[in-house]
């Protein structure tokens, strides 16, 4: 399978699908409210990526890049339940290493 990462914003059509995967994959006690992620992305504090196969959103990740440092923080990574166990998490980690 061919996966790709696509940077998205709350105004992007894929945002709803990415957030739905996020909300279904993580317990409420371990995730930020949608509005917090929207605000952080809109302010440029963090970056939201959709993980896509063809045009389907199959996962998402939120990262923080600390400019001027070699550090990147993976805040959230979520994969649609039908795509788990297929190496998507590993695929997402490669650009971060």
């Amino acid at each position: 399978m061919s996966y790709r990462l696509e940077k998205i914003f709350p105004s992007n059509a894929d945002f709803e699908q990415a957030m739905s995967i996020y909300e279904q994959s993580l317990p409420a006690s371990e995730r930020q409210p949608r509005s917090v992620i929207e605000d952080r992305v809109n302010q440029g504090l963090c970056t939201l990526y959709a993980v896509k196969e063809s045009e389907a959103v199959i996962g998402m990740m939120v990262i923080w890049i600390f400019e001027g440092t070699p550090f990147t923080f993976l805040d959230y990574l979520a994969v649609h339940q039908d795509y788990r166990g297929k190496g998507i998490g590993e695929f997402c980690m490669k650009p971060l290493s």
Side-chain angles (χ1 to χ4, degrees):
M1 297 294 161
S2 178
Y3 308 121
R4 74 180 192 283
L5 293 173
E6 186 175 301
K7 186 176 180 178
I8 62 172
F9 296 89
S11 60
N12 186 285
D14 293 330
F15 180 79
E16 288 301 318
Q17 289 177 284
M19 293 309 295
S20 177
I21 292 168
Y22 167 75
E23 290 167 345
Q24 292 171 12
S25 299
L26 298 165
S29 63
E30 295 181 18
R31 65 177 191 254
Q32 294 290 329
R34 178 185 289 227
S35 61
V36 170
I37 292 184
E38 283 183 44
D39 290 344
R40 289 176 178 171
V41 170
N42 282 331
Q43 293 173 27
L45 299 174
C46 64
T47 305
L48 173 62
Y49 287 94
V51 184
K52 298 182 87 172
E53 180 184 56
S54 294
E55 292 306 309
V57 176
I58 60 171
M60 60 78 71
M61 70 178 190
V62 175
I63 63 168
W64 295 70
I65 299 171
F66 299 99
E67 298 295 330
T69 75
F71 301 106
T72 300
F73 175 70
L74 174 64
D75 203 359
Y76 295 104
L77 173 62
V79 176
H80 188 282
Q81 63 185 8
D82 294 343
Y83 291 87
R84 293 180 189 154
K86 298 182 182 202
I88 295 167
E90 181 180 355
F91 166 78
C92 291
M93 296 302 291
K94 284 183 182 180
L96 302 179
S97 60

